[in-house]
Amino acid sequence: MRGHGEKNQTGYFAAFAGCLCGAIGVCFAADLLTFFIFYEILTVSTYPLVVHYRDAKGKYSGRKYLIYTLVSGQLFFAGMVYVYATCGTLAFTPGGFVDFAGSDKMLTLGIFLLMVSAGAVKAGVMPLHSWLPAAMVAPTPVSALLHAVAVVKAGAFCVIRLACYTFGPEVLRECMGAEVLLWLAGVTVILSSLIAIQKTNLKARLAFSTVGQLSYIVMGVCLLTPAGMTGAMYHMVAHAFLKITLFMCAGAIFVTAHKADITEMRGIGRRMPVTMAAFTAASLGIAGLPFLPGFLSKMTIMEGARQAGQPVFALILVASALLSLAYLIPVSYIAFAGTKVREEYLAYGPGNRGEASKLMLIPLMAALTLAFVMGFFPDFGAHFYAFAKAAASSVYGGGI
């Protein structure tokens, strides 16, 4: 933000702190009501970040964001009221607490879809995804917040809380709620990748990559298997470190070289070798390269598809990995291309700096380093993989 000389930084950082407050509250919420309150705090706090530039495009994207998220939030609230009136509790319970005794399966399905729409919107599940690419008008740190950490992950976490701790696997199998969401997620994974290939704006390409990657989590949860849930929860962490690296690389390129379009980045790897090397490594991680955390999470979700007897979703994951390579690796190829390198990328000096500043390089390299460490040692530090397995065990009564 400071490197690019952004305006309105005080309001920006205040709203950013509000987003972190909402995200932490969502994580620690023990019941639906508390979850809903912090979920809406996150929604409202993100709006000033989306409209940060106060221009026509930013205001349009902000209105679109509010319409999608606030409407789906009210649908969530309506469903929550029905759940409380019927069940007398809102406390999250492993395996679910919803018991609509004697209710029609279609009613149960309707209430689930009503509530899960709030998660599907923030997680970018098609056709409820269009606010997410539109929000790319915001500064790059906001893009990282939206696409790697707080907002979209809150949506995926909402799906986990509803599927595994509110309705429960058995109820969702009976009403076919998980089946509906599973197929929507599968279609989203493929279509978002095909759209990403067509985008030449780097942030737009990364935005549609996020749409697909978040649906991995939804897919894993809706397979309703221990391995699927374990892989989904671990992918939340794996994707966070990898995608935030990609967005910080995009921000470093924009601030240093003032380039946002991929077609204008030929040879930029010679000028910014560290930034582009980090981008390439994170791209391989997103595609599922072995020894990076994305590989373990995706392989575990594929095991979940096998447990569920749904091999088609394992094939979707394989196809998505190949498509990820198709839309990310060309960026690195263009950056390191050895021919027709523009002289401006080889020039150093005032107004045309070489590599990004250390204040931008240190955070992105730290995120990438943690991703590599987690790839080799999944339980390093905070024991994310062990926690994911323990959560799945508490819901399904056994490990993966």
Side-chain angles (χ1 to χ4, degrees):
M1 292 294 288
R2 290 171 183 147
H4 198 235
E6 297 284 359
K7 298 180 180 179
N8 307 309
Q9 290 194 30
T10 301
Y12 165 87
F13 284 112
F16 206 100
C19 285
L20 295 181
C21 169
I24 292 171
V26 163
C27 291
F28 284 99
D31 57 72
L32 281 170
L33 180 59
T34 309
F35 183 95
F36 171 76
I37 291 171
F38 282 100
Y39 202 72
E40 294 302 279
I41 288 174
L42 177 61
T43 295
V44 175
S45 298
T46 306
Y47 173 74
L49 301 177
V50 175
V51 300
H52 177 77
Y53 289 121
R54 275 71 163 175
D55 55 9
K57 186 180 291 187
K59 292 177 181 178
Y60 169 79
S61 299
R63 286 194 297 270
K64 190 171 188 177
Y65 164 77
L66 281 183
I67 291 171
Y68 273 80
T69 54
L70 289 181
V71 170
S72 62
Q74 298 315 301
L75 295 178
F76 179 97
F77 182 77
M80 181 179 68
V81 170
Y82 183 84
V83 168
Y84 181 74
T86 306
C87 303
T89 182
L90 294 175
F92 292 129
T93 304
F97 64 84
V98 166
D99 182 17
F100 297 160
S103 297
D104 186 88
K105 291 182 180 179
M106 291 304 295
L107 175 62
T108 304
L109 174 62
I111 297 298
F112 172 71
L113 294 179
L114 198 69
M115 298 182 69
V116 85
S117 65
V121 165
K122 277 195 170 74
V125 177
M126 292 182 174
L128 304 174
H129 71 290
S130 63
W131 70 270
L132 196 52
M136 286 298 93
V137 298
T140 302
V142 178
S143 301
L145 180 78
L146 286 169
H147 289 257
V149 190
V151 179
V152 294
K153 293 298 165 55
F157 193 62
C158 178
V159 175
I160 292 173
R161 281 301 203 187
L162 290 174
C164 301
Y165 295 88
T166 302
F167 286 84
E170 293 304 319
V171 171
L172 291 184
R173 284 193 185 97
E174 290 181 12
C175 75
M176 303 294 289
E179 188 80 9
V180 172
L181 203 54
L182 180 62
W183 281 102
L184 285 175
V187 171
T188 300
V189 167
I190 299 300
L191 289 184
S192 61
S193 299
L194 294 175
I195 295 172
I197 293 174
Q198 303 173 42
K199 299 295 179 181
T200 59
N201 181 280
L202 182 55
K203 284 176 64 177
R205 184 169 293 194
L206 294 178
F208 278 98
S209 169
T210 298
V211 172
Q213 293 290 321
L214 265 293
S215 283
Y216 284 19
I217 301 171
V218 177
M219 185 189 303
V221 173
C222 292
L223 286 168
L224 301 180
T225 59
M229 182 179 174
T230 301
M233 296 190 73
Y234 191 67
H235 192 67
M236 291 180 69
V237 182
H239 175 262
F241 283 110
L242 294 168
K243 186 53 65 73
I244 203 170
T245 300
L246 292 176
F247 271 109
M248 287 194 289
C249 288
I253 294 169
F254 184 71
V255 171
T256 306
H258 308 294
K259 303 297 179 185
D261 199 278
I262 296 168
T263 59
E264 298 177 353
M265 295 180 185
R266 181 169 295 278
I268 200 172
R270 293 193 174 192
R271 173 182 170 181
M272 305 176 69
V274 177
T275 301
M276 292 312 304
F279 184 93
T280 303
S283 298
L284 294 173
I286 287 290
L289 183 76
F291 308 116
L292 281 169
F295 174 78
L296 177 59
S297 62
K298 292 177 184 181
M299 290 299 294
T300 309
I301 294 174
M302 290 178 70
E303 170 62 16
R306 186 198 66 79
Q307 290 179 351
Q310 298 270 23
V312 65
F313 293 100
L315 295 176
I316 287 175
L317 290 176
V318 173
S320 175
L322 297 175
L323 288 171
S324 297
L325 291 173
Y327 63 71
L328 288 175
I329 295 305
V331 179
S332 300
Y333 175 78
I334 290 171
F336 289 108
T339 59
K340 298 181 180 179
V341 178
R342 296 183 179 182
E343 293 182 1
E344 62 179 288
Y345 294 134
L346 302 181
Y348 294 83
N352 195 18
R353 291 172 292 172
E355 185 57 84
S357 74
K358 291 181 180 179
L359 290 176
M360 289 184 281
L361 286 179
I362 291 173
L364 70 88
M365 292 305 297
L368 183 62
T369 300
L370 285 171
F372 269 98
V373 170
M374 288 177 57
F376 284 96
F377 308 103
D379 280 326
F380 172 82
H383 304 284
F384 290 118
Y385 193 70
F387 275 126
K389 291 178 67 174
S393 178
S394 70
V395 172
Y396 292 96
I400 65 171

